[in-house]
Amino acid sequence: MFLRTYVWDCECTNLRSDIGTLTVAVFGELDSDGQIKKILANDILKAGGERNLSRWVAQRIKEADILIGHNSVSFDKNFINGILARYNLPQLPKRIHLDTMLAA
C-alpha cells in the first residue's frame, strides 16, 4: 500500500494569522521513489479569495497520509489553522508530519 506523501509550503503576508493573509500554497506529491511526480499550486487570486484557498489547503492535507515541510509544524500548520478558525472552518486533521527545521 502506497501512502500519499506531500512536500508542502505556504506563503503569507504576516507571521500572525489573526492579521496576516494566506497568499500561496504549494504541494509536491512524491512517488514511491521520493521524486516529485505532481505539483499542486494555488494562490489567493486563482482560488477566489483566502477562504477558498484555505479550504483548498485543508483538502490537500486531508487527502495526504504524510506531510513534509520546513518549519511547517511550528508555523505553516498553525497559521493555516488560524486562517481556518477565522472562517469558522474545521481545523486541519492530524497527519504524520516531518518538519525539516526540527531535523536540522
Side-chain angles (χ1 to χ4, degrees):
M1 178 179 156
F2 180 72
L3 300 176
R4 180 172 286 171
T5 303
Y6 285 139
V7 176
W8 75 296
D9 191 25
C10 67
E11 300 302 328
C12 53
T13 61
N14 193 288
L15 297 178
R16 292 179 39 191
S17 60
D18 59 337
I19 60 174
T21 302
L22 175 64
T23 58
V24 176
V26 178
F27 292 80
E29 186 174 355
L30 301 182
D31 65 18
S32 59
D33 294 324
Q35 301 296 312
I36 294 176
K37 68 176 183 178
K38 180 172 32 172
I39 295 177
L40 306 165
N42 207 346
D43 64 54
I44 195 169
L45 296 176
K46 184 175 155 188
E50 183 185 48
R51 178 187 169 108
N52 291 337
L53 180 57
S54 65
R55 291 173 69 190
W56 182 86
V57 170
Q59 182 58 41
R60 300 295 73 76
I61 291 175
K62 184 177 178 181
E63 67 193 22
D65 298 300
I66 300 171
L67 296 164
I68 302 169
H70 189 75
N71 203 23
S72 55
V73 168
S74 297
F75 179 75
D76 298 81
K77 183 180 68 135
N78 293 328
F79 188 88
I80 297 298
N81 274 329
I83 298 299
L84 292 169
R86 179 188 307 169
Y87 295 109
N88 295 313
L89 295 169
Q91 296 293 283
L92 296 175
K94 293 190 183 292
R95 292 293 181 260
I96 296 170
H97 202 139
L98 306 173
D99 190 331
T100 59
M101 177 88 152
L102 299 175

